[in-house]
Amino acid sequence: CSSDLLYLVSNTTNQVQVYDYVAQQVIARITTGKTPLAGAMSMDGNYLYVTASGPPSALYQIDLSQNRVIYTQTLPSTPQGVESGSDGRVLVAMVGTGVTSGVPQKTLQIFDPVAKTLTDVAVPALTTTLAPVPAQATGRPTTTFSGKLQRTPDGTFIVGVITPTAGSTYIFVYEVASGVILRNRTTAGQSSVLSMAPDGSRFMAGFTLYDTATLAVVAQQNNANAPFTFASAVNTTQNVGGSAFSPDGTTVYSAFNTAATTNPPSPSLSATLLVNDSTSLGIRLGIKLPESIVAKIAMLSDGSQAWGLSDSDRKSTRLNSSHLG
């Protein structure tokens, strides 16, 4: 999001659509490589970096003053999430080549847009999930992307979730200045849809709230915390949905799937916007939405409007101040 514009990555049209949310219309379309997956804006707002699975697997640098791709970097494996830090370098999450002796292989690389170089990021051996943690489904979560990244607002750290194999998912904190993974751990069945607190101290990964400094689980979304009738539990396997922190950091707005697990997956039941306490995920209020939210939610810096990727033809649903209370 920049100025009055949203940049929407469309993997069905191989484009980035530039949406003017004041005029409520797409004002430009930027062609990328095949199957673009994720985007991240540089902190100065000059560039947008987009990963695409292709073929070829690649990272695209887009000059936002010209709305066109100015550089393409081929990647060694299928990319997923992308994020830019305070130093201007770009972290790319990839599927990688698996896990050997507890160490994920080729899942993270750093791109330097000045030197035009791509460098491996060493990932430490994974530690196991700390106890006690509420039981979650094992294996790969049923989400579209197996890896996503999210920076802290000051750009000094990047957190991420990556699933290098069908049976393993790890979560980590990367320090931008040193180019080093400070901490990581395994986590079973965790969604890769992320949102970050305004002070960077906490983040949501799917329906779980983590502490950035320790990667400890702070809280998890639970229907038992609702002050209204909410009989269905959050689906921990087909755990689609998203969240966003309010600008003051006191509230988390979220929507998660409560449909029963089926194969193939049933249509998502995530059309209730939950207004949560950001420290405990205690539910204060539920707001019925016209469509189910299935992925990322983005919010304006003043908190007056938010957008969430909805289930109907994978379009976005706008939440204005009357929705958000």
Side-chain angles (χ1 to χ4, degrees):
C1 182
S2 175
S3 182
D4 296 335
L5 304 177
L6 290 173
Y7 294 89
L8 310 173
V9 177
S10 172
N11 60 13
T12 58
T13 63
N14 302 330
Q15 294 176 333
V16 173
Q17 299 173 0
V18 184
Y19 179 76
D20 186 322
Y21 60 77
V22 175
Q24 296 187 35
Q25 63 181 355
V26 173
I27 61 171
R29 300 176 190 271
I30 306 167
T31 300
T32 65
K34 294 180 180 179
T35 320
L37 298 172
M41 188 178 294
S42 62
M43 295 193 69
D44 59 12
N46 291 332
Y47 302 101
L48 183 70
Y49 296 93
V50 175
T51 55
S53 62
S57 296
L59 173 70
Y60 296 90
Q61 182 183 23
I62 296 172
D63 186 328
L64 295 180
S65 68
Q66 305 176 55
N67 279 346
R68 68 179 184 90
V69 173
I70 60 170
Y71 186 76
T72 301
Q73 174 66 57
T74 302
L75 299 172
S77 70
T78 303
Q80 294 287 324
V82 60
E83 189 58 279
S84 176
S86 58
D87 63 352
R89 296 187 300 168
V90 182
L91 186 65
V92 180
M94 292 171 290
V95 172
T97 57
V99 178
T100 302
S101 300
V103 179
Q105 305 294 310
K106 297 290 184 180
T107 56
L108 287 172
Q109 290 192 317
I110 192 78
F111 171 68
D112 187 327
V114 177
K116 300 294 189 293
T117 56
L118 195 65
T119 308
D120 285 332
V121 175
V123 178
L126 299 174
T127 58
T128 57
T129 302
L130 303 176
V133 173
Q136 296 181 1
T138 58
R140 184 190 295 272
T142 308
T143 52
T144 302
F145 303 113
S146 60
K148 286 290 186 181
L149 305 174
Q150 180 78 51
R151 70 184 174 216
T152 55
D154 62 4
T156 57
F157 302 101
I158 296 173
V159 303
V161 175
I162 296 178
T163 305
T165 70
S168 61
T169 300
Y170 78 94
I171 193 166
F172 66 91
V173 177
Y174 167 87
E175 185 179 53
V176 171
S178 65
V180 169
I181 302 277
L182 297 182
R183 61 196 68 89
N184 64 355
R185 54 177 286 193
T186 57
T187 176
Q190 184 61 73
S191 168
S192 61
V193 180
L194 301 172
S195 65
M196 180 67 63
D199 63 359
S201 65
R202 305 176 310 286
F203 66 94
M204 291 285 290
F207 56 83
T208 304
L209 180 65
Y210 286 90
D211 180 86
T212 306
T214 64
L215 287 184
V217 172
V218 178
Q220 288 184 313
Q221 191 68 268
N222 195 309
N223 62 309
N225 294 331
F228 53 87
T229 302
F230 188 3
S232 299
V234 173
N235 190 317
T236 60
T237 301
Q238 293 159 353
N239 50 358
V240 299
S243 64
F245 284 80
S246 62
D248 63 5
T250 62
T251 302
V252 172
Y253 298 96
S254 66
F256 295 105
N257 184 29
T258 59
T261 301
T262 59
N263 188 15
S266 302
S268 176
L269 294 179
S270 49
T272 300
L273 184 71
L274 301 175
V275 182
N276 307 270
D277 180 276
S278 67
T279 58
S280 66
L281 293 186
I283 300 172
R284 300 170 181 163
L285 181 67
I287 302 171
K288 187 65 177 176
L289 300 175
E291 298 181 8
S292 287
I293 300 298
V294 296
K296 185 178 180 65
I297 298 175
M299 180 174 286
L300 294 183
S301 59
D302 64 3
S304 63
Q305 296 185 57
W307 291 263
L309 186 66
S310 60
D311 200 32
S312 176
D313 297 324
R314 294 298 187 265
K315 296 179 180 177
S316 60
T317 293
R318 185 175 69 169
L319 311 173
N320 59 30
S321 57
S322 62
H323 284 110
L324 302 177

